[in-house]
């Protein structure tokens, strides 16, 4: 029998070998912070009000999404002109509707 999560499919996205899709959010957050710091992009990573890590320099927020009874990661990428405060759910450039998506 397949779990709900195993029936989900879509593009698999990596960043220098770091898998960004379908990961346990807390585990990926730690790896993402290590990635950003090790590349000298910035010595800190910002977290959204929902606890999703993001980095302005990369224009990415690692959202959590329900997959049955578990949460898995789903990256959201933005263009460079939107990158400033990409992680900010109240003042950032990502449309409000995106922050309400969890399924």
């Amino acid at each position: 029998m397949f779990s709900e999560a195993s029936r989900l499919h879509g593009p698999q996205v990596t960043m220098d070998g770091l898998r960004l899709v379908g990961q346990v959010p807390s585990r990926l957050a730690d790896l993402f912070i290590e990635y950003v710091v090790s590349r000298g992009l910035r010595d800190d990573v910002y977290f959204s009000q929902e606890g999703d890590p993001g980095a302005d320099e990369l224009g990415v927020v690692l959202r959590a999404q329900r997959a049955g009874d578990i949460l898995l990661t789903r990256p959201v990428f933005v263009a460079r002109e939107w990158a400033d405060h990409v992680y900010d759910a109240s003042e950032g450039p990502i449309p409000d509707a995106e922050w309400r998506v969890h399924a």
Side-chain angles (χ1 to χ4, degrees):
M1 176 177 285
F2 294 101
S3 70
E4 180 72 23
S6 69
R7 289 193 296 261
L8 300 175
H9 26 139
Q12 296 301 301
V13 180
T14 62
M15 184 173 11
D16 290 331
L18 181 61
R19 288 182 49 215
L20 302 180
V21 177
Q23 302 301 308
V24 174
S26 60
R27 174 74 177 126
L28 183 58
D30 291 341
L31 295 172
F32 182 71
I33 292 167
E34 289 175 19
Y35 174 84
V36 172
V37 171
S38 73
R39 301 259 172 335
L41 298 174
R42 182 174 271 170
D43 60 358
D44 59 349
V45 174
Y46 297 103
F47 286 84
S48 73
Q49 290 89 331
E50 287 80 18
D52 299 319
D56 289 348
E57 294 83 3
L58 302 175
V60 64
V61 177
L62 301 177
R63 301 291 320 281
Q65 177 174 317
R66 288 186 61 92
D69 289 338
I70 60 174
L71 289 176
L72 297 174
T73 57
R74 176 179 61 86
V76 175
F77 297 96
V78 300
R80 179 164 297 285
E81 56 269 12
W82 279 27
D84 189 37
H85 298 304
V86 70
Y87 57 87
D88 192 326
S90 63
E91 296 182 10
I94 294 178
D96 185 53
E98 168 58 36
W99 295 108
R100 294 190 305 261
V101 174
H102 289 286

